[in-house]
Amino acid sequence: MDRTPRTSRARTALTAVATASIFAGLLVTTTGPAAAEKGATTEAPKPTVVLVHGAFADSTSWNDVISKLRHDRYPVVAVANPLRSLSGDSTYLKEVLAGIDGPIVLAGHSYGGSVISNAATGNDNVKALVYVAAFLPDKGESAVDLSGRFPGSTLGDALRPVPTTNTDGSQANDLYIQNDKFRHQFAADVPREKTDLMAVTQRPITDAALAEDAAEPAWKTIPSWVLVATQDLNIPPAAQEFMAQRAHAHTSTVRASHAVSVSQPGKVTEVIEDAAHSVR
């Protein structure tokens, strides 16, 4: 006679326990992620790093630097510098920069330093300039002027001029580094199997581009970082140090050839990321 009430009471208790368990599960499901999101922090977006190569090189000279920057989650653009004229190359870079949203860290190697100095002027998105064994010309100065102002460059004796016709019909000379002198002159601290390829694939620059006077430079208004290559045979280290001091740049040195982005990509990346950390 008592079995039915007992059974009924047991079923009621089990139902209550099951209902409580389901409710508790729903509570965990609905509140768990919300609590996690509440404590989560969102990483600020990183500036885009734009890399500009110089003479006798191409964008692949940045390859190892690009890999390290991408590993650290920086957006990167490596620009194909035309190497035809300082004013024309700067205009081309300005157009590339205009298509990039948000803050930019702009880095140039060698003659690429002259190009970024011209192109960044007036661009509010460029927050930092990085010069890697590069020229920082003032208004009216050329790469030829600056490299000849201090002793140490042996580039002139290593060049091979090739006559060329510009798109406007004017005549110029394309300048190459002679293949058998390339490694010693440009990249003495890079393995020979790599420099043999670099010599064959080098991009020539016109003599007019190296001799053209610079416009008003961006380093006068934008914070700058300079990496001086102390074994450079293209741009004398004394010239690099002079330009860095004049620009009041954050300056560091590395024992490296002119091809420092190839031989010392870790150091180059360190300087670029140091500049990037200043961007707010």
Side-chain angles (χ1 to χ4, degrees):
M1 299 259 328
D2 294 335
R3 288 181 184 176
T4 302
R6 287 181 182 176
T7 303
S8 178
R9 285 197 298 272
R11 286 176 179 172
T12 300
L14 288 171
T15 301
V17 170
T19 302
S21 298
I22 292 170
F23 178 76
L26 288 172
L27 187 62
V28 170
T29 302
T30 55
T31 61
E37 287 173 8
K38 193 172 182 179
T41 57
T42 302
E43 184 179 353
K46 295 178 182 288
T48 299
V49 177
V50 178
L51 305 170
V52 182
H53 67 82
F56 320 116
D58 61 17
S59 292
T60 63
S61 61
W62 296 106
N63 276 359
D64 290 340
V65 174
I66 293 169
S67 294
K68 293 179 183 298
L69 289 170
R70 285 172 59 86
H71 177 269
D72 294 338
R73 297 190 291 180
Y74 282 93
V76 185
V77 176
V79 178
N81 190 356
L83 306 177
R84 299 294 85 192
S85 70
L86 180 55
S87 54
D89 298 340
S90 302
T91 297
Y92 175 74
L93 179 56
K94 282 183 180 181
E95 292 171 349
V96 173
L97 297 176
I100 298 173
D101 294 328
I104 296 169
V105 173
L106 183 56
H109 171 243
S110 188
Y111 164 79
S114 298
V115 178
I116 70 171
S117 290
N118 272 16
T121 301
N123 188 325
D124 293 336
N125 280 352
V126 179
K127 304 299 184 183
L129 298 168
V130 181
Y131 295 87
V132 180
F135 290 108
L136 290 77
D138 202 348
K139 184 176 181 179
E141 293 178 338
S142 71
V144 170
D145 293 336
L146 289 165
S147 61
R149 193 176 299 180
F150 298 85
S153 176
T154 56
L155 179 61
D157 293 336
L159 292 176
R160 176 173 64 90
V162 176
T164 186
T165 302
N166 295 318
T167 55
D168 62 0
S170 61
Q171 298 298 303
N173 286 308
D174 264 342
L175 302 178
Y176 295 82
I177 296 178
Q178 298 171 46
N179 281 10
D180 60 344
K181 296 182 178 181
F182 187 92
R183 183 170 187 268
H184 172 75
Q185 179 62 43
F186 195 81
D189 52 353
V190 177
R192 184 170 297 279
E193 60 269 19
K194 182 172 286 190
T195 58
D196 286 348
L197 292 174
M198 291 169 64
V200 171
T201 60
Q202 65 176 292
R203 292 271 309 283
I205 188 169
T206 65
D207 51 2
L210 293 176
E212 186 175 343
D213 290 346
E216 190 67 24
W219 52 258
K220 290 187 176 181
T221 56
I222 299 174
S224 301
W225 279 254
V226 170
L227 180 60
V228 176
T230 62
Q231 305 300 303
D232 197 331
L233 297 180
N234 277 24
I235 306 174
Q240 296 178 42
E241 291 170 356
F242 161 74
M243 291 182 282
Q245 291 173 6
R246 181 176 64 179
H248 305 290
H250 305 270
T251 306
S252 55
T253 63
V254 62
R255 183 178 175 84
S257 69
H258 189 63
V260 60
S261 62
V262 180
S263 65
Q264 296 281 347
K267 183 62 177 179
V268 173
T269 304
E270 177 186 316
V271 174
I272 292 172
E273 293 193 359
D274 188 31
H277 292 156
S278 74
V279 177
R280 298 290 184 266

